[in-house]
Amino acid sequence: FPPERIRNFSIIAHVDHGKSTLADRLLELTGTIKKGHGQPQYLDKLQVERERGITVKAQTATMFYRYGIKEDDAMENLSNYLLNLIDTPGHVDFSYEVSRSLAACQGVLLVVDAAQGVQAQTVANFYLAFESNLTIIPVINKIDQPTADPVRVKAQIKSLFDLDPADALLTSAKTGQGLEHVLPAVIDRIPSPPGKCDSPLRMLLLDSYYDEYKGVICHVAVVDGALRKGDKIASSATDHVYEVLDVGIMHPELTPTGVLFTGQVGYVISGMRSTKEARVGDTLYQAKSTVVPLPGFKPAKHMVFSGLYPADGSDFDALNHAIDRLTCNDAGVSVSKETSTALGMGFRYGLSVPQEYGAKVISTVPTVPYMFEYADGSKVQVQNPAALTSNPGKRVTACYEPSVIATIIFPSEYVGPVITLCSERRGEPLEYSFIDCQRVLMKYRLPLREIVVDFYNELKSITSGYASFDYEDAEYQQSDLVKLDILLNGQPVDAMATIVHNLKAQRVGRELVEKLKKFIDRQMFEITIQAAIGSKVIARETISPLRKNVLAKCYGGDVTRKRKLLEKQKEGKKRMKRVGSVDIPQEAFSELLKVS
Ligand code: GDP
Ligand code: MG
């Protein structure tokens, strides 16, 4: 297949608008998968794993398609186009993954639900594709629905994206209506890959994953030249050289072809030991040749961090193992070890890391990386609030926190509550417009800290589920931040320290202290719970002493009952974390997560 006969494209959509269903229909239409194969959407195979918390991946498939050949043509039985569908995750947190998938495409199908219309992730995905200069084919899907209103969606596409509504395809991935126009539009409108066949090999590493039997499998896009089995390839990022042991296409399973030509997308197995060697965005080339590396794409950001500790300290090895497996399978994950005086050894991990770990863990209040500037001009980034110890020699002169630009789309009758929510969360309004006569688009600058805890749920609940939300990272902004300590009997609990905005400190301190009071059992001595900023106590509760004896209630000789009670008490103890002499139940930590 010469590059002119190749098309590389993605499907992008707001969640649930039908991306996976449409992808499946296209794979069926081209005979890549069998119709009604009874399995969940093929490209969602990995999505299921994603939900189980194993991996976060974009998946790719190659299809062969006949187009524009006359019936009596000699090539009658041959496909004449090779189409690579590069799947992208639809979730709001994965815009980085979307942009890395788009790096191998020349065009996208922008799927919009005919009843729901344009939503926040439609807008976000549109801009990712637009900024990459890709051809955008609007697809208005679910036209079979009784509430479908393609005319309204066309108007939105025109007003928001300045796309010609006449170019929109109308489909139902459910009934099959209109699907016959999709691949012809891909071929007619999306340019073929621009690489040079006679130049030395340059290929982009799109993704990698670890297979127990085959080792590290890399997804690659061959930009220039060709790649053959037996070739020696080098990495621009690491200078390591590998021998190509196997190369082929995903059709949709790994199908060895022995070679990948210019413009093709496929897989390479080359004896890499760990996915850490496979840097996503890296350029691979023939060893000993000299090439200019391709522009990669921006590295994964993990802006939201949370501490992670085994509930039972002796489980640290198991947690360590689980985290090793995660990082082995996704080089983009960032995790570092840390030690808390209250919780023992644990980790600080990027929040996009899901939890695949059997035993119970304690997850600390999510934090974002704050920046503190000192009188001497030095700046430190603080990931873990406990690390910000007050240093009398160094005076903090300014604090900064990361912000995001949020896009929210919702029916106009909810304008009031949405504005209230955003201003409570310290948002700054940037844009307010109607995308049609019923729906409003608002843009806000919000501190990242304010959206990581429960913002989306809150937004959904005040708009009866109608709001959609997406955000992109923006720069650091100066902010009036303070460190809020929680003290038990005068001793700070580092895992409960948070950094909060000064205006919210009083309320948050009060709430944390009240919550804790509910969760900590009375003990044989009095317990004081305090919230403090530096040496200033801003909230205080006490738990009066009580002698707790579970056996007190059962006099008499029933030994088994006594033993059961004692065992139950022991079980309960296991879930406790002892700070000084105070036991804190694990539930307290999860409850504290909800305070912001
Ligand atoms: P994704 O989140 O964009 O991948 O969306 P899915 O492909 O998972 O589809 C979301 C839901 O919409 C599923 O229940 C699909 O069966 C349904 N769906 C997809 N396409 C259509 C369509 O054209 N018409 C109707 N009525 N339902 C559809
Ligand atoms: Mg899907």
Side-chain angles (χ1 to χ4, degrees):
F1 285 89
E4 307 85 77
R5 301 251 172 213
I6 298 177
R7 298 291 182 276
N8 294 330
F9 69 104
S10 273
I11 306 179
I12 53 179
H14 188 81
V15 64
D16 278 347
H17 283 196
K19 185 186 75 177
S20 304
T21 314
L22 179 65
D24 259 29
R25 291 295 97 78
L26 297 180
L27 293 177
E28 283 173 10
L29 207 116
T30 53
T32 314
I33 56 174
K34 283 205 202 75
K35 198 166 177 162
H37 52 122
Q39 293 197 337
Q41 287 132 343
Y42 178 76
L43 292 173
D44 273 358
K45 191 178 72 178
L46 280 165
Q47 172 108 34
V48 173
E49 297 181 354
R50 189 179 299 154
E51 269 145 29
R52 289 213 316 270
I54 295 167
T55 168
V56 183
K57 290 274 176 271
Q59 174 78 314
T60 295
T62 296
M63 304 177 272
F64 296 94
Y65 189 60
R66 271 170 57 81
Y67 178 57
I69 305 175
K70 284 195 204 83
E71 280 308 313
D72 54 357
D73 196 298
M75 280 178 51
E76 194 175 350
N77 292 314
L78 291 177
S79 301
N80 55 345
Y81 281 92
L82 188 155
L83 309 175
N84 292 307
L85 168 60
I86 297 163
D87 190 33
T88 53
H91 190 271
V92 52
D93 285 342
F94 301 138
S95 63
Y96 162 74
E97 307 258 336
V98 175
S99 64
R100 90 188 191 191
S101 307
L102 296 185
C105 296
Q106 284 71 48
V108 295
L109 299 172
L110 179 67
V111 176
V112 186
D113 183 319
Q116 299 219 316
V118 170
Q119 299 287 334
Q121 285 153 49
T122 320
V123 178
N125 285 327
F126 167 81
Y127 280 105
L128 287 175
F130 184 75
E131 282 159 14
S132 310
N133 288 314
L134 303 184
T135 301
I136 295 165
I137 302 174
V139 177
I140 301 175
N141 187 40
K142 305 202 190 183
I143 53 167
D144 60 286
Q145 286 185 317
T147 50
D149 190 351
V151 176
R152 195 180 118 220
V153 179
K154 282 185 178 181
Q156 294 176 347
I157 286 172
K158 171 80 184 117
S159 77
L160 276 170
F161 308 139
D162 201 24
L163 294 173
D164 187 347
D167 288 342
L169 305 176
L170 300 182
T171 64
S172 165
K174 189 178 177 190
T175 67
Q177 207 184 335
L179 291 185
E180 68 279 12
H181 300 300
V182 176
L183 292 177
V186 165
I187 291 169
D188 290 336
R189 300 191 207 167
I190 296 177
S192 53
K196 297 183 197 72
C197 303
D198 45 11
S199 293
L201 170 74
R202 279 203 300 177
M203 63 182 178
L204 194 58
L205 205 162
L206 295 177
D207 202 353
S208 68
Y209 62 99
Y210 187 80
D211 179 284
E212 242 175 84
Y213 303 102
K214 300 192 169 93
V216 176
I217 299 175
C218 295
H219 287 180
V220 295
V222 176
V223 175
D224 296 316
L227 174 77
R228 289 181 176 78
K229 188 174 172 175
D231 281 354
K232 295 264 194 298
I233 53 169
S235 148
S236 305
T238 64
D239 286 333
H240 283 257
V241 174
Y242 303 93
E243 180 175 342
V244 177
L245 305 173
D246 186 12
V247 51
I249 57 174
M250 283 81 79
H251 184 56
E253 308 295 339
L254 301 187
T255 309
T257 56
V259 61
L260 285 176
F261 293 107
T262 305
Q264 279 194 279
V265 174
Y267 74 92
V268 178
I269 298 172
S270 63
M272 287 184 182
R273 289 226 179 74
S274 140
T275 50
K276 282 175 189 149
E277 292 175 57
R279 306 262 173 94
V280 165
D282 190 7
T283 300
L284 298 167
Y285 58 97
Q286 299 281 5
K288 293 189 183 131
S289 74
T290 45
V291 298
V292 180
L294 297 157
F297 16 84
K298 51 179 184 227
K301 276 187 202 161
H302 293 281
M303 293 291 275
V304 183
F305 285 82
S306 190
L308 195 64
Y309 295 90
D312 179 345
S314 60
D315 286 344
F316 178 79
D317 284 344
L319 179 62
N320 194 7
H321 186 70
I323 290 200
D324 251 8
R325 286 232 312 273
L326 271 174
T327 48
C328 175
N329 218 349
D330 192 339
V333 166
S334 72
V335 180
S336 61
K337 282 188 187 142
E338 71 174 23
T339 309
S340 152
T341 47
L343 301 175
M345 284 240 269
F347 297 91
R348 189 143 288 262
Y349 68 101
L351 262 205
S352 54
V353 183
Q355 293 180 16
E356 182 214 353
Y357 170 61
K360 287 221 165 183
V361 293
I362 291 174
S363 209
T364 63
V365 182
T367 59
V368 300
Y370 296 103
M371 194 89 81
F372 288 82
E373 195 176 271
Y374 293 99
D376 64 4
S378 65
K379 279 186 183 178
V380 286
Q381 208 188 42
V382 177
Q383 202 77 256
N384 175 355
L388 191 74
T389 44
S390 47
N391 182 340
K394 279 192 155 189
R395 197 167 51 84
V396 173
T397 48
C399 316
Y400 300 87
E401 64 181 326
S403 69
V404 301
I405 306 287
T407 302
I408 308 168
I409 295 181
F410 55 95
S412 52
E413 66 254 44
Y414 300 104
V415 165
V418 172
I419 290 179
T420 307
L421 173 67
C422 289
S423 50
E424 272 170 9
R425 302 282 181 137
R426 302 188 279 129
E428 171 201 340
L430 300 176
E431 190 183 320
Y432 175 79
S433 56
F434 277 82
I435 64 169
D436 59 26
C437 57
Q438 296 151 23
R439 288 191 164 258
V440 169
L441 179 152
M442 290 183 94
K443 277 193 188 233
Y444 265 88
R445 178 191 293 281
L446 284 153
L448 178 62
R449 172 71 181 88
E450 297 289 338
I451 62 164
V452 296
V453 183
D454 228 28
F455 179 80
Y456 189 46
N457 282 344
E458 187 94 338
L459 179 67
K460 278 270 179 199
S461 97
I462 60 169
T463 58
S464 317
Y466 285 117
S468 65
F469 165 69
D470 203 347
Y471 68 88
E472 55 185 298
D473 294 331
E475 64 273 23
Y476 273 76
Q477 288 218 302
Q478 191 159 358
S479 181
D480 185 9
L481 301 171
V482 291
K483 182 184 174 207
L484 185 66
D485 285 312
I486 298 294
L487 298 91
L488 289 180
N489 286 345
Q491 192 183 339
V493 184
D494 52 5
M496 290 186 179
T498 52
I499 291 170
V500 293
H501 194 267
N502 206 358
L503 290 175
K504 292 197 161 184
Q506 185 70 41
R507 183 179 60 75
V508 172
R510 188 93 298 256
E511 265 179 58
L512 286 175
V513 163
E514 278 165 15
K515 275 231 162 105
L516 262 177
K517 185 180 180 182
K518 286 197 202 119
F519 279 93
I520 297 176
D521 283 337
R522 290 169 155 199
Q523 319 231 345
M524 292 167 69
F525 44 85
E526 188 183 77
I527 302 170
T528 57
I529 310 170
Q530 295 167 310
I533 299 169
S535 56
K536 195 175 105 207
V537 173
I538 56 168
R540 178 197 164 99
E541 288 283 344
T542 52
I543 302 175
S544 51
L546 173 87
R547 177 148 214 257
K548 197 179 172 196
N549 182 354
V550 287
L551 299 182
K553 275 177 262 159
C554 47
Y555 294 109
D558 190 348
V559 180
T560 43
R561 190 156 162 243
K562 274 186 188 167
R563 191 171 294 147
K564 265 191 191 148
L565 279 168
L566 283 169
E567 261 160 27
K568 229 171 132 190
Q569 195 186 35
K570 220 166 108 195
E571 263 295 286
K573 276 266 185 286
K574 258 192 167 170
R575 290 183 295 108
M576 302 282 190
K577 277 294 164 190
R578 184 166 279 254
V579 173
S581 49
V582 183
D583 285 331
I584 307 172
Q586 193 180 320
E587 290 80 7
F589 286 92
S590 20
E591 271 311 300
L592 294 186
L593 278 174
K594 294 177 190 147
V595 179
S596 68

